[in-house]
Amino acid sequence: MFAIDLMEDDGKMCILQTQSLYLEDGDENGKELPDEDIRAEADTFMFEGHDTTASGLSWTLYNLVRHPEYQERCRQEVRELLRDRDSEENERDDLAQLPFLTMCIKESLRLHPPVPGISHGCSKDVVFLYGRIIPKGITFLISIFGIHHNPSVWPDPEVYDLFHFDLENIKDRSPLAFIPSPWGPGEARGFKGKGRSLGLRMGIVGS
């Protein structure tokens, strides 16, 4: 099975490094962040790394239980990856070598997004290509659940279909059609961390 020591140590290291950056480097202009802002960033980081991971893991397990043929293929993929190594060894990039498991995780996050909606306030006027404007000061809502269930983007959006994330199907799709993590500039880092954490935990179950 996969060991979780690396994941736990890696997670603690990332949190410590992030807190250190906030304290030492400040904001993008080098200005020291007030305690309130540091607390808000830390809350977001912890929520992103733990609460959403737990939700994603639960829904992925639920969907695999409902689709035993997918569950068996994930198990075989994990066992094949671990075939020539100690059962407790794992690597940071293992998830990249588990494409089928990755599709299972992404489809679960699409069908059951851990954060179904977000709101943002406009700090300046937002002008769209077709001329409409969202004025400064307006708070607008974005339905991630609605985006993930848009039938014009996702065929049979209510169906758990891994091939929504097949390479052939995603090449012409907007990157904004799938929002697994909604926290702005940290999104890519957040999804990589969450994806790796989900992948390792799924590997434990799968093996």
Side-chain angles (χ1 to χ4, degrees):
M1 68 177 185
F2 278 166
I4 62 173
D5 294 344
L6 172 63
M7 177 188 62
E8 297 296 345
D9 292 343
D10 191 41
K12 291 176 184 176
M13 187 181 300
C14 285
I15 293 171
L16 290 173
Q17 288 174 343
T18 302
Q19 291 174 337
S20 177
L21 287 173
Y22 289 146
L23 292 172
E24 295 176 7
D25 296 344
D27 63 15
E28 63 271 17
N29 298 315
K31 184 180 178 181
E32 182 177 342
L33 290 173
D35 290 346
E36 187 175 294
D37 287 355
I38 294 174
R39 187 182 305 115
E41 293 290 345
D43 287 345
T44 296
F45 189 87
M46 293 297 292
F47 176 66
E48 169 73 1
H50 293 83
D51 207 57
T52 56
T53 298
S55 174
L57 177 63
S58 298
W59 282 115
T60 301
L61 290 172
Y62 169 80
N63 286 313
L64 288 179
V65 167
R66 295 184 65 243
H67 298 85
E69 70 281 11
Y70 295 161
Q71 182 182 154
E72 181 57 31
R73 186 166 170 181
C74 285
R75 182 179 289 112
Q76 291 174 359
E77 189 176 60
V78 171
R79 287 176 174 171
E80 179 66 22
L81 178 66
L82 295 176
R83 183 177 56 181
D84 297 322
R85 69 168 81 164
D86 187 279
S87 62
E88 294 187 355
E89 292 180 2
N90 60 75
E91 303 291 341
R92 178 182 294 270
D93 297 324
D94 276 344
L95 190 59
Q97 301 180 58
L98 298 169
F100 193 82
L101 176 59
T102 300
M103 288 196 297
C104 289
I105 293 172
K106 287 185 175 181
E107 178 65 355
S108 293
L109 293 174
R110 181 199 68 81
L111 199 57
H112 312 283
V115 180
I118 55 175
S119 63
H120 280 293
C122 294
S123 59
K124 60 182 180 180
D125 289 353
V126 177
V127 182
F128 293 98
L129 293 176
Y130 46 84
R132 290 187 179 273
I133 298 175
I134 299 179
K136 176 182 177 180
I138 292 292
T139 298
F140 61 92
L141 304 178
I142 299 174
S143 172
I144 294 176
F145 185 90
I147 292 170
H148 286 186
H149 291 74
N150 183 351
S152 67
V153 177
W154 306 96
D156 298 319
E158 304 301 325
V159 175
Y160 184 72
D161 181 1
L162 306 189
F163 296 97
H164 281 141
F165 290 94
D166 182 82
L167 291 178
E168 284 298 312
N169 292 330
I170 67 174
K171 64 181 182 180
D172 296 323
R173 183 184 300 146
S174 168
L176 299 178
F178 178 55
I179 310 175
S181 174
W183 283 282
E187 178 178 338
R189 180 185 61 195
F191 177 68
K192 287 180 180 178
K194 176 163 61 181
R196 183 166 65 248
S197 181
L198 277 169
L200 292 174
R201 283 178 163 87
M202 288 303 303
I204 294 170
V205 177
S207 59

